[in-house]
Amino acid sequence: MGSLSSMTAKVTLSFSDETIEEARRFAKREGLSLSAWMDQAAREKALREVFTAHAAAVGRAGLDLESAALADAQEAALVDDALFGGGRPRAA
């Protein structure tokens, strides 16, 4: 079970009955205390917000990271073909 040992703040929050029942069910399924599950859920939400903001900033800057990653993968495949022959798996 999850514990409160690493948590440092105790706060009082209010949730709808439906929300708290779902949270309890998810916490139990994951073997966590309700507090630990809520802490994890809040942390994940905060990280999603940060990553979403970062992706928006990259988009506004006009950077196309997906295309660059695909080009890198294609280049790596060409190098593999040149070094190891087409179709033969390389040794790990």
Side-chain angles (χ1 to χ4, degrees), residues 8-9 12 25-26 29 33 45 52 54-55 61 64 71 75 82 85-86 91:
T8 58
T12 301
R25 188 173 61 249
F26 289 129
R29 183 182 72 192
S33 69
K45 172 68 173 167
T52 299
H54 179 262
D64 187 356
E75 185 176 341

Side-chain angles (χ1 to χ4, degrees), residues 13-86:
L13 303 170
S14 298
F15 298 96
S16 70
D17 291 339
E18 180 180 324
T19 298
I20 201 65
E21 285 309 313
E22 288 177 3
R24 283 186 175 122
R25 188 173 61 249
F26 289 129
K28 183 177 180 180
R29 183 182 72 192
E30 294 181 26
L32 297 171
S33 69
L34 178 59
S35 292
W37 189 88
M38 294 295 260
D39 182 69
Q40 179 179 317
R43 184 179 314 275
E44 288 173 3
K45 172 68 173 167
L47 287 173
R48 279 194 304 277
E49 293 290 329
V50 168
F51 288 128
T52 299
H54 179 262
V58 167
R60 284 192 307 274
L63 302 175
D64 187 356
L65 299 179
E66 185 175 357
S67 292
L70 289 172
D72 287 348
Q74 289 171 343
E75 185 176 341
L78 290 172
V79 170
D80 279 354
D81 284 348
L83 292 174
F84 304 107

